[in-house]
Amino acid sequence: MSRVENDLLDGNRLAASSTFARLVYSDTMPSTQDHALELARSQAGPLPILVVAEEQTAGRGRGANRWWTARGSLAFSLLLDPAAWGLAPQPVPERSLAVGVAIVDALGPRLRDRALGLHWPNDVFAEGRKISGVLVDVLPDGMHVIGVGINVNNSFQGAPAEVQARATSLAELSGRSFDRTEVLLDVLTSIRQSLVESARLPAEFGARFDELCLQRGRQLTLDVGQQRVRGICAGIAPDGGLLLDTARGREKFYSGVLRHGA
Ligand code: BTN
């Protein structure tokens, strides 16, 4: 699918949203995440702040991963005081999954009859391919920067081979293009709902991680520090832990570098 001409975000419609207090919009930026982290360190003022760019030149993912950001996709970071939404200030493993649930809820109506769900620890997959990634950074004072990349109208022409091999977009899956401003506003509303709900009813909300887990029954390999663990995925616990059936029985993990296969 070719890119939509003049497919820019509508700043006026974004600014009317009540999900953030301030908007930082840029055509291009190295990374909205790094920009939001910089704002968090350097500035006081009303929060949340939404930092959004049409294109990133140094988008980053979890660990050493990069996030390839084409025009026509969505890349944004939300700088947030967690207390304002009832959240604890310390980093918790389930936070990026709660954002993943929000993305599934927002994209779901646009991808009817498509298999859409979570890949632990921080990905949203559709029809076996990655459509969105989440990166949550927590600063020493507890401030959160929630970074989200979503493939919307972008094609993968010119993308690195590994992205072409495993990514998809809303447009690719549905054969039409989308109003990115509307998608962004829906995702922001959904993120607020999810995070507030996850703080209010953690067990009930946490059950959704397992319902949406797309890795169940698959052979996974997890590197946790120097240790390599192999097992069959038994779902995701309400507290965000990955459940693996290993040679030692069922074990739960909160971090690690995951690979599919043995
Ligand atoms: C991952 O897949 O590991 C997470 C990807 C997160 C990408 C988003 S795009 C907006 C924000 N800015 C970044 O540099 N990264 C996040």
Side-chain angles (χ1 to χ4, degrees), residues 31-33 56 59-62 67 76-77 122 130 133-134 148:
S31 159
T32 59
Q33 195 78 1
Q56 295 181 121
R60 52 186 188 85
R62 192 164 168 266
W67 178 259
F76 66 90
S77 300
N122 64 329
K130 182 161 168 168
V134 177
V148 175

Side-chain angles (χ1 to χ4, degrees), residues 42 86 157:
S42 63
Q157 255 180 355

